[in-house]
Amino acid sequence: MLQHNQDLLAHTLAHPQSLPQTERFTLTDGTVVSLAEVGVLRFEPQQPQGADLVLSAGVHGNETAPIELVNRLVKQLLSGVLPCRNRLLILLGNPPAMVVGKRELEHNMNRLFSGNHQRYQGDEANRAKVLEAAVQDFFEARAGERYHYDLHTAIRDSKREKFAIYPFRHGKPWKKQQLRFLANCGVDTTLLIHSPQSTFSYFSSNQFGADAFTVELGKVRPFGQNDPKSLAQIEAQLQRFIAAQPLQLGEDAAMTVFDVAQEINKNSADFALNFADNAANFSEFKQGELLASDGEQEFRVQAKQEAIVFPNAKVATGQRALLTVVPVGPDQPFV
Ligand SMILES: [Zn+2]
């Protein structure tokens, strides 16, 4: 039982499809803990403070560093080392993929949210639906301040190791306080997205008004091969957040903000990227340089300089194969 071994990751890997039993127990400080589904763990403090926090990891099954981070936080909570003062929902996204060390079994789960799972079948589609319901149930229990950090690691090297993706806000201003929080988590780069997406963070942002982000925390490695020191800053900030202690938001933590310049989709099997397969995220290209081609169609750098993010020629036809970004312009509203 999780109550006794306090290891959510081990428990989830041992029972990736269904729980041997649901659990509900009370910690010494009165916090009620419930495990009603595989990898869905909810903490309800006796007298909750104002924030309702969702932390998810493993939506891509092989992105182990944030899964281990979340598991450390759960151990600290269950053992009583870390007091729970804000409501908290912990989600391990894709347990069957975690067991086999794969990003996905059939479908990229982070394209299945906001109901997009209805167009697909299989484990990931079913699981996205379960995760959506867990988030809805958690947020709609009251009208708190809502936050969701969906934690990932990237497939490739990056010139900017840790970065956040700020989902489309439909014209509402971007929040400087959130950018400062992320900067003080050691996440020094943010991309502003300008269209709806089927990501988990957009779902929480759009449907529940949560301050929600996809957060990339370094490079994919197998379980046990991550250096916890690399995530010490974000771990400390999340501990403060969960314990409702003052967040240490130093003004001097740097944040670089980018706007998405181009979203390039793969439209046919002829799609090809025109740079090395192992090019790092945030590699820069100059105006006019050819980035990709798709049959007759050419995609070139339009701005003076654009940086590439998430290149992947192997995505399914119709999906995004490349983003390019430019430094944020003066016209973006911040609050
Ligand atoms: Zn990911």
Side-chain angles (χ1 to χ4, degrees):
M1 287 177 73
L2 178 66
Q3 182 177 9
H4 302 304
N5 69 25
Q6 301 180 350
D7 189 333
L8 180 65
L9 175 55
H11 191 271
T12 304
L13 292 177
H15 311 285
Q17 294 290 356
S18 63
L19 290 175
Q21 63 198 101
T22 61
E23 294 185 45
R24 187 181 171 87
F25 52 91
T26 305
L27 301 177
T28 47
D29 69 355
T31 299
V32 175
V33 182
S34 53
L35 181 68
E37 303 260 10
V38 175
V40 176
L41 186 63
R42 188 158 151 173
F43 293 82
E44 295 283 352
Q46 210 163 27
Q47 291 180 312
Q49 302 297 302
D52 294 346
L53 173 62
V54 176
L55 292 178
S56 53
V59 164
H60 295 133
N62 62 346
E63 298 179 357
T64 58
I67 298 171
E68 291 173 346
L69 163 66
V70 162
N71 200 45
R72 286 196 294 277
L73 293 170
V74 168
K75 280 184 186 174
Q76 292 155 15
L77 285 159
L78 295 181
S79 63
V81 175
L82 174 62
C84 193
R85 299 280 183 267
N86 280 311
R87 297 180 64 241
L88 174 65
L89 179 65
I90 298 279
L91 301 171
L92 297 185
N94 193 343
M98 283 162 50
V99 170
V100 294
K102 291 202 164 146
R103 179 178 167 85
E104 66 220 20
L105 298 179
E106 293 168 272
H107 301 297
N108 177 355
M109 196 193 286
N110 212 21
R111 299 286 178 276
L112 298 185
F113 291 95
S114 299
N116 204 32
H117 51 78
Q118 289 161 10
R119 299 169 47 205
Y120 295 85
Q121 287 183 331
D123 275 357
E124 272 106 6
N126 296 337
R127 182 66 177 171
K129 189 177 174 189
V130 167
L131 296 177
E132 284 188 354
V135 167
Q136 176 169 12
D137 195 50
F138 176 73
F139 279 146
E140 289 189 343
R142 68 168 186 174
E145 303 157 32
R146 296 165 175 173
Y147 302 88
H148 180 181
Y149 303 101
D150 182 36
L151 309 177
H152 290 250
T153 53
I155 303 169
R156 59 185 54 237
D157 286 329
S158 181
K159 299 199 177 227
R160 297 170 170 273
E161 195 204 18
K162 299 188 178 82
F163 58 99
I165 296 160
Y166 203 151
F168 184 42
R169 284 176 53 75
H170 295 266
K172 282 180 285 179
W174 315 93
K175 294 189 180 176
K176 282 188 201 156
Q177 186 272 351
Q178 281 295 299
L179 299 187
R180 198 174 312 137
F181 171 72
L182 289 164
N184 282 279
C185 288
V187 177
D188 63 5
T189 301
T190 299
L191 312 186
L192 307 180
I193 302 287
H194 297 283
S195 58
Q197 294 183 314
S198 42
T199 60
F200 204 7
S201 62
Y202 175 77
F203 168 73
S204 289
S205 171
N206 183 52
Q207 307 237 0
F208 305 106
D211 289 326
F213 294 83
T214 308
V215 186
E216 300 282 349
L217 294 172
K219 199 178 169 185
V220 163
R221 287 188 185 79
F223 283 120
Q225 294 184 23
N226 300 296
D227 178 6
K229 279 196 287 253
S230 150
L231 302 186
Q233 252 185 300
I234 186 169
E235 184 167 347
Q237 285 291 18
L238 291 174
Q239 286 167 337
R240 289 183 201 108
F241 200 136
I242 290 166
Q245 291 166 350
L247 301 173
Q248 292 176 8
L249 300 184
E251 296 277 348
D252 51 347
M255 174 60 82
T256 305
V257 183
F258 288 99
D259 255 335
V260 170
Q262 302 188 56
E263 273 199 62
I264 296 172
N265 284 350
K266 172 178 178 173
N267 292 320
S268 81
D270 294 334
F271 183 89
L273 295 168
N274 193 46
F275 46 80
D277 258 359
N278 62 354
N281 279 329
F282 296 99
S283 296
E284 291 172 343
F285 293 84
K286 294 208 159 46
Q287 194 167 49
E289 281 191 85
L290 182 66
L291 296 170
S293 59
D294 202 346
E296 299 286 284
Q297 196 176 11
E298 289 188 335
F299 300 96
R300 292 180 181 274
V301 175
Q302 294 167 358
K304 207 166 144 204
Q305 186 166 280
E306 295 176 22
I308 55 161
V309 190
F310 301 132
N312 187 355
K314 292 186 193 134
V315 294
T317 301
Q319 290 202 352
R320 185 191 76 201
L322 179 66
L323 279 183
T324 72
V325 299
V326 292
V328 68
D331 52 336
Q332 286 305 316
F334 285 90
V335 66

